[in-house]
Amino acid sequence: MSYMTTGDLSLVLNDMFKTKLGLLTKTMSFKIYERALSDNRDKLNSIVEILERKPLTEELKEADELHDSAGRAVYFMCKGMSSLSILEKEKRDLLSTVAERFAPALGDFTRSYEDEASSATKKREVLNGMKTELSAFPVAPDMSLYDLLDAHVDAGEKIDKLLAERADTTAQEDAAKLKEAKTIRSATIGMINRLREAMEDEVSMNDELDDSLANKVFAYYDQIADTREDRGAKPKAPPVTA
């Protein structure tokens, strides 16, 4: 059982209390462990949920929407106006330069958060160097091309900060929960094993109980335990081991 994870035990207890409860309640043994196992089930489910949850999801989504929408606006504006014949060549050239440096393709605005955050750092340097000419180019009432690009780049920089904050928050939460999970995991495995032994004794002394009752109740537990032992290593993906 050494390779069973917190997530494994959560699944096992959920199976026991949802699909095996009818079998378990036939025994006296289960009454001894029911409350403690139910409490540990709730704790394990909560731990797994926290370990799998990603903080700052909404904040990242909001920053990404601004980053992408501003970027698309720059792309379409530059694409349309850079070929406008009545626009003086100097301004058309500026738009072509902006498109090349800030919005060369629409696919740039469907990339990962990490890629967008990385690009923002490079774009900020370029933007600072073009501030004067871009500020003199209006694109909407009370908005210059610089303002639009600044909003785009600023959103990318915010994504970078949020990702760093998420990493710190996740590390702190995971450390606390993994410590808690280690204790609960050990206690739960011990209780399950003792329940099984007690149930097997009870079956041997009660002719009214099915001889294969324990095997049926713990079939899922055995399946997961055997799978983990065969792999011979702890899984690298969540739910994390404890």
Side-chain angles (χ1 to χ4, degrees), residues 19 32 50 54 58 63 81 95 102 120 126 143 152 169 191 203 206-207:
T19 67
I32 300 172
I50 289 173
K54 292 186 176 181
E58 290 303 316
M81 295 189 67
L95 290 170
F102 296 94
V126 177
M143 180 182 289
H152 168 67
T169 301
M191 276 191 282
V203 167
N206 187 343
D207 293 337

Side-chain angles (χ1 to χ4, degrees), residues 30-224:
F30 181 60
K31 293 180 181 179
I32 300 172
Y33 294 95
E34 181 177 6
R35 179 65 179 274
L37 285 173
S38 179
D39 289 346
N40 278 15
R41 175 196 177 201
D42 291 339
K43 292 175 184 177
L44 288 169
N45 285 342
S46 175
I47 290 170
V48 170
E49 181 182 353
I50 289 173
L51 291 175
E52 291 181 343
R53 184 179 64 217
K54 292 186 176 181
L56 302 174
T57 297
E58 290 303 316
E59 292 85 347
L60 279 162
K61 184 178 179 181
E62 182 179 343
D64 182 57
E65 176 58 31
L66 175 56
H67 173 275
D68 294 350
S69 61
R72 287 191 294 268
V74 171
Y75 173 85
F76 285 116
M77 185 192 68
C78 291
K79 184 178 180 64
M81 295 189 67
S82 61
S83 60
L84 184 61
S85 60
I86 60 174
L87 192 66
E88 56 188 82
K89 185 177 184 304
E90 181 181 347
K91 291 182 178 178
R92 280 187 280 134
D93 289 344
L94 174 62
L95 290 170
S96 295
T97 299
V98 168
E100 179 183 346
R101 295 180 178 178
F102 296 94
L106 281 176
D108 290 343
F109 312 118
T110 59
R111 295 187 300 170
S112 69
Y113 289 156
E114 289 79 7
D115 286 341
E116 291 177 350
S118 177
S119 295
T121 303
K122 302 171 186 175
K123 289 179 178 179
R124 175 59 69 187
E125 264 185 57
V126 177
L127 184 60
N128 288 341
M130 300 177 69
K131 183 173 182 177
T132 300
E133 51 193 326
L134 294 174
S135 296
F137 198 117
V139 296
D142 301 319
M143 180 182 289
S144 68
L145 183 52
Y146 174 82
D147 295 330
L148 179 58
L149 286 165
D150 184 57
H152 168 67
V153 174
D154 184 67
E157 292 171 331
K158 185 174 182 179
I159 289 172
D160 185 39
K161 292 177 183 177
L162 288 169
L163 287 175
E165 187 177 343
R166 168 186 275 187
D168 291 340
T169 301
T170 300
Q172 292 172 5
E173 287 185 347
D174 285 1
K177 285 300 172 183
L178 285 171
K179 184 177 180 180
E180 180 184 358
K182 184 176 181 179
T183 301
I184 298 173
R185 173 185 175 276
S186 177
T188 302
I189 290 176
M191 276 191 282
I192 289 175
N193 289 336
R194 291 193 299 275
L195 170 60
R196 185 173 201 159
E197 291 171 0
M199 189 178 296
E200 288 172 346
D201 284 341
E202 186 176 350
V203 167
S204 70
M205 292 182 276
N206 187 343
D207 293 337
E208 294 182 4
L209 295 176
D210 184 354
D211 289 343
S212 62
L213 182 61
N215 289 335
K216 291 177 181 177
V217 168
F218 298 102
Y220 192 34
Y221 180 72
D222 291 339
Q223 176 184 311
I224 292 180

